[in-house]
């Protein structure tokens, strides 16, 4: 089988790209790590596609609306050269009305968002990376057949909720970008 053309780095949002602050509901609360812009720019220059893959159950929980989230993500896309943001607004025990409070196949540790991004963008999963700070990120990456990376920012600075075996562990996104670009 011919290799697919694009290699990607799939990034979790909170605790990897942005500071982990619990649920945020406005663009003003968005705060990047000091190294985020440089790390993502470096990866883009080395021809990696960059996708953010994020669980946003705050929508199902009634903490923010999907329109609030769109404004936050619009701002995020202005700040860093990410190709696209994929989010899961669902939670099985949410309190928002349908279609949000459901069991879905996109909420990590499910692989639905990654597989959708791969389909839409012709991504070669076997040679692509998943970067996350939680066990659910690593599990989703493994299900999708990605190379998995745990970073020690966000929840990654603490003991993980469950044991997982990422392929690599780095201090933060900057170290991963250095590794992938050979610097
Ligand atoms: Zn979902």
């Amino acid at each position: 089988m011919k290799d697919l053309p694009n290699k990607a780095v799939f990034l979790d949002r909170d605790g990897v790209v942005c500071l982990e602050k619990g649920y945020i509901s406005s663009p003003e609360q968005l705060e990047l790590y000091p190294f985020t812009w440089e790390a993502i720019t470096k990866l883009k220059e080395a021809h990696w596609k960059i996708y953010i893959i994020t669980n946003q159950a705050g929508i199902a929980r009634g903490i923010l609306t999907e329109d609030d989230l769109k404004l936050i993500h619009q701002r995020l896309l202005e700040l860093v050269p990410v190709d696209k943001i994929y989010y899961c607004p669902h939670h099985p025990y949410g309190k928002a009305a349908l279609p949000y409070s459901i069991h879905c196949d996109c909420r990590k540790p499910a692989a639905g968002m990654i597989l959708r991004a791969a389909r839409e963008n012709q991504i070669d999963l076997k040679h692509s990376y998943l970067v996350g700070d939680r066990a659910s990120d690593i599990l989703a990456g493994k299900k999708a057949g990605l190379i998995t990376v745990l970073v020690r920012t966000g929840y990654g600075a603490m003991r993980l909720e469950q044991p997982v075996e990422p392929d690599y562990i780095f201090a933060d996104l900057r170290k991963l970008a250095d590794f992938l670009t050979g610097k």
Side-chain angles (χ1 to χ4, degrees):
M1 199 175 92
K2 198 165 158 287
D3 277 352
L4 289 162
N6 296 318
K7 294 186 176 80
V9 181
F10 295 95
L11 302 172
D12 176 41
R13 193 190 84 181
D14 302 325
V16 175
V17 172
C18 313
L19 270 64
E20 171 60 58
K21 292 183 169 182
Y23 292 117
I24 64 167
S25 53
S26 76
E28 293 72 36
Q29 295 169 287
L30 195 62
E31 196 176 339
L32 300 181
Y33 288 105
F35 48 77
T36 297
W37 183 86
E38 195 188 330
I40 293 179
T41 301
K42 207 166 171 179
L43 289 168
K44 286 297 295 176
E45 283 170 1
H47 308 294
W48 290 92
K49 299 274 184 192
I50 307 290
Y51 303 102
I52 291 178
I53 301 288
T54 178
N55 284 354
Q56 291 298 327
I59 295 173
R61 292 178 186 277
I63 296 166
L64 73 165
T65 66
E66 201 158 1
D67 284 340
D68 295 332
L69 186 70
K70 282 178 181 160
L71 289 176
I72 293 169
H73 285 174
Q74 200 178 322
R75 177 82 182 122
L76 185 52
L77 291 170
E78 286 164 11
L79 294 173
V80 284
V82 165
D83 290 283
K84 190 167 176 182
I85 301 172
Y86 292 86
Y87 61 89
C88 164
H90 309 116
H91 193 277
Y93 312 111
K95 58 180 186 180
L98 288 171
Y100 298 121
S101 297
I102 57 161
H103 285 277
C104 64
D105 65 1
C106 44
R107 179 174 164 77
K108 295 175 287 186
M113 285 188 277
I114 298 168
L115 297 177
R116 183 178 153 209
R119 254 193 331 268
E120 289 180 1
N121 305 284
Q122 293 83 49
I123 302 300
D124 176 2
L125 288 170
K126 204 162 65 122
H127 297 105
S128 294
Y129 288 76
L130 178 286
V131 187
D133 67 326
R134 306 187 74 156
S136 53
D137 298 318
I138 303 303
L139 293 170
K142 282 179 183 288
K143 277 179 205 157
L146 296 167
I147 303 161
T148 55
V149 178
L150 178 74
V151 286
R152 291 296 192 187
T153 45
Y155 284 100
M158 293 177 268
R159 199 185 147 92
L160 297 183
E161 316 94 290
Q162 63 183 98
V164 288
E165 290 186 16
D167 296 297
Y168 296 95
I169 299 176
F170 288 109
D172 54 36
L173 183 58
R174 169 178 40 196
K175 295 290 183 193
L176 181 270
D178 289 348
F179 171 73
L180 288 182
T181 57
K183 289 170 215 163

